[in-house]
Amino acid sequence: MTSSVDVRDGYPLSPVQRAVLAPGSAEADPAADLEQVRLVIRGRLRVAEFQQAWHRVIARHEILRTGFVRHDGREPVPVEPEPVQVVWPEAPPPGWHLDDLRTIRACQRRRGLAELLAADRVRGFALDVPPLCRFALLRVSETEHLLVWTAHHLVVDGWSLPILLGEALAEYRAAVEGRDAELPPPTPFRDHVAWSTARDLAEAEQFWRTELADLPSPVPLQRDLPDWRGEPADAFDEYSLELTSEDTYLLHETIGQQRLTLPAVVQGCWARLLAARGDTGAGTADVVIGATVAGRAGGPAAETLVGPLTNTVPVRVRIRPDQPVGVWLRGLQARQALARPFDHVPPALLRSWAGSPADAPLFASVLDFETYPMDNDLFTGTADASTISVRFDGRWTTSHHPLRLVVVPGERLGLHARYDLRQLGPETVESLLTELAFLLSLVATDPDRPVSALRPPDDGPLPTD
C-alpha cells in the first residue's frame, strides 16, 4: 500500500480505521472489510441522472475522496511508516457495471446475480486510489432496477449508508426537476479523528479493565473443525431464519412490557444458548460474545457523520439461573448502557486491557443489529422519474470471527448468519439459529420464567458435523 501520492496533507487514521488496517487483516484478503448492499429501485429511473447524483455525493464528502498510503516521502524508509489518509481534491468517478436482465429467465438471473456478487467481493480495492466504492445497476424490468453498492469499511459503516442514500436520492430528484438539491455542508471525517485522538482514555480503561477482568475463554461453537478443503475465497457461507409473525409480535409486546430493547434480549438469549452448549454446568456461567456498536455516543455531528465509526466490543453476560428472565435481561441492558460511552475503544486495546495475547480472540461470535436510522420517505414514491422508491434487498458484510449474526427487525424478525466453513459446519449453524429462535419464543411467552428454564429443548453435547 505504498504510493507516490503527496501525503503532506494527510492525517492519521481513526482507531476504527487502524483496526481495519491492522497487519494481516485488510491486505490479506481482497474480500475483507467490505460492505455490499443490495437495493431494489422501483420507478422509471433515469440512469444518467442517477449516476451523476452519486458522483455529486462522492464529491461532497472528503472521506469518499480519501486514499490510504504508508509512503511518507522519505528515502530510504527505515521502518514501515504508519498509514495516513489523504483527501484527493477530486476523485475519479466510481466504477459502474450496467446490465440489462429483462430477457433473461428468472432462474438464470438468480444464478448470474450470485456469481456477480461473489466476483465483485473478491475484486477488492486499491486502497490508495479513491473512491473506495463501486456500483452495479441491473435492469430487471421497465420500472425496476437492482443496485449493488460495494464499499470499503475504511470509508463507510452501516450507519453511513442510509445517510448517503438519502443524499443521492435528493440529488437525483433535484436533477430530474431541474433544481439544486441544496444539501447542507457535511462534517469532515477529519473532525472526528481530531476529536477521538484528543479523548482521554483513562476512564474507558478503568471501565474495561474492570469489565474484562478474569475473562473466560470463548465458548466453542463446534467441538471439532469441519473437514473443509476449498479455496479461501469460498470459505464463507450464509444461513437465514425468520421468526413467525406471531412470535415476532409477541416478542415485541414483551419487550415493551418489560422495558427492554431487542439487542439486550437477543444478546441474552445468545449467551444463554452458548452457556447451555458449553461445558459450564448448571451454576452461574460467564459468557463473552461480540456486538457491533454504532460508536456515535459523542463527537462532532455524530448522528449524521459519514465515515467508519462502527466498532465491535465484547459483551460479558453472567448467567443468573435463579433470576426471572425479564429481571436478568434488564440487568444486562443496564450494564450495556454503562459501557456505551466507552464503545469507541478499538479491539486491540480492549485485548490488551483484558490481558489477552494480541492474536487471541475475546469471543467467537458477533451479533450485528440492523438498527441504522432510516427515513421512511426514502422508501416511498410513485412510478415517475423524480419519485422512485427504494427497498432494501440484502446486505453482505465481512467478519474476522467464525460466525456473524445479523439481526434484522421487521414483521418477521430475521436472523442471518454468515460463517466460516473452515470452523463451522452448516448443521451447527442451522442448529444454533433454530435454538436461538426457540429461546426468543420462550422470552416472548413467559419472561417471568427463571433463567435456568431458558434453555434449548435438548442440551446435548456440542455437534461435530
Side-chain angles (χ1 to χ4, degrees):
M1 196 182 63
T2 59
S3 174
S4 59
V5 174
D6 186 349
V7 302
R8 287 174 295 181
D9 293 330
Y11 63 99
L13 274 60
S14 72
V16 170
Q17 290 173 316
R18 286 198 297 271
V20 171
L21 273 185
S25 61
E27 294 181 299
D29 177 4
D33 298 302
L34 296 183
E35 191 86 24
Q36 187 185 67
V37 176
R38 302 188 306 275
L39 299 166
V40 173
I41 302 173
R42 289 199 173 96
R44 298 192 177 277
L45 184 68
R46 290 163 55 167
V47 174
E49 285 87 345
F50 189 68
Q51 290 178 288
Q52 286 301 317
W54 279 105
H55 298 175
R56 285 191 288 272
V57 169
I58 291 171
R60 276 173 45 80
H61 293 275
E62 287 188 356
I63 190 63
L64 300 183
R65 292 184 280 110
T66 294
F68 299 82
V69 299
R70 282 199 174 101
H71 188 256
D72 64 355
R74 293 181 294 131
E75 295 290 350
V77 179
V79 294
E80 185 178 43
E82 287 291 318
V84 296
Q85 49 190 325
V86 181
V87 179
W88 287 36
E90 296 182 2
W96 283 87
H97 172 81
L98 303 177
D99 207 348
D100 192 333
L101 308 181
R102 285 176 291 177
T103 61
I104 299 176
R105 293 181 178 178
C107 60
Q108 295 175 316
R109 187 185 304 160
R110 287 192 295 269
R111 184 167 57 252
L113 176 60
E115 293 172 353
L116 181 147
L117 294 174
D120 175 70
R121 291 194 290 261
V122 299
R123 282 178 58 192
F125 286 98
L127 299 185
D128 59 335
V129 181
L132 301 188
C133 65
R134 57 177 170 264
F135 303 88
L137 187 63
L138 313 175
R139 188 167 191 174
V140 179
S141 71
E142 291 298 322
T143 57
E144 182 172 304
H145 289 74
L146 177 67
L147 176 69
V148 180
W149 174 14
T150 304
H152 201 285
H153 281 153
L154 281 168
V155 296
V156 297
D157 58 12
W159 191 284
S160 305
L161 301 181
I163 298 172
L164 294 171
L165 175 61
E167 291 187 1
L169 292 180
E171 291 280 5
Y172 171 78
R173 289 164 179 163
V176 169
E177 296 168 5
R179 57 179 176 82
D180 188 87
E182 299 182 349
L183 297 174
T187 301
F189 186 71
R190 68 174 71 228
D191 290 2
H192 166 76
V193 174
W195 173 81
S196 62
T197 302
R199 294 193 71 176
D200 185 355
L201 293 179
E203 191 176 357
E205 180 176 2
Q206 181 181 2
F207 173 85
W208 283 115
R209 283 191 182 276
T210 301
E211 184 70 6
L212 303 178
D214 301 318
L215 203 67
S217 300
V219 174
L221 301 175
Q222 179 172 309
R223 188 180 301 280
D224 298 324
L225 292 179
D227 183 20
W228 190 86
R229 302 170 187 242
E231 295 294 327
D234 301 322
F236 293 90
D237 203 354
E238 298 176 328
Y239 178 76
S240 296
L241 180 152
E242 289 184 335
L243 273 64
T244 65
S245 299
E246 181 182 4
D247 281 347
T248 301
Y249 175 80
L250 289 174
L251 182 62
H252 284 296
E253 285 285 297
T254 299
I255 285 173
Q257 294 167 2
Q258 294 287 318
R259 305 186 306 281
L260 292 166
T261 62
L262 179 62
V265 173
V266 178
Q267 288 169 1
C269 288
W270 183 251
R272 181 69 185 97
L273 172 59
L274 297 185
R277 295 168 72 91
D279 186 20
T280 56
T284 300
D286 194 356
V287 179
V288 181
I289 59 178
T292 58
V293 291
R296 295 173 183 262
E303 293 291 321
T304 58
L305 182 67
V306 171
L309 277 70
T310 298
N311 196 17
T312 303
V313 298
V315 177
R316 192 168 189 174
V317 184
R318 294 170 174 85
I319 311 299
R320 310 295 188 192
D322 297 331
Q323 283 189 342
V325 167
V327 173
W328 171 64
L329 290 174
R330 283 194 294 275
L332 171 61
Q333 183 172 285
R335 192 65 188 171
Q336 287 295 89
L338 293 177
R340 193 162 299 122
F342 313 118
D343 63 12
H344 60 284
V345 178
L349 198 51
L350 291 173
R351 280 195 299 271
S352 70
W353 290 345
S356 301
D359 58 349
L362 299 181
F363 37 82
S365 57
V366 174
L367 301 188
D368 188 357
F369 296 87
E370 294 282 9
T371 56
Y372 309 126
M374 283 289 189
D375 181 353
N376 288 333
D377 289 343
L378 298 181
F379 297 91
T380 59
T382 60
D384 67 84
S386 66
T387 56
I388 57 174
S389 65
V390 179
R391 175 175 62 81
F392 178 78
D393 190 54
R395 170 180 172 233
W396 185 98
T397 187
T398 52
S399 177
H400 300 292
H401 298 87
L403 184 145
R404 185 184 196 94
L405 178 61
V406 180
V407 181
V408 182
E411 183 179 334
R412 300 182 63 177
L413 184 70
L415 305 174
H416 306 281
R418 183 169 187 272
Y419 60 98
D420 190 334
L421 288 162
R422 295 164 294 189
Q423 302 185 62
L424 290 172
E427 292 179 8
T428 295
V429 176
E430 182 177 352
S431 174
L432 284 166
L433 265 61
T434 300
E435 292 177 1
L436 176 60
F438 178 79
L439 295 191
L440 291 171
S441 70
L442 293 183
V443 173
T445 55
D446 185 8
D448 295 324
R449 73 177 76 230
V451 172
S452 59
L454 184 66
R455 55 193 308 116
D458 181 11
D459 291 346
L462 286 170
T464 60
D465 276 322

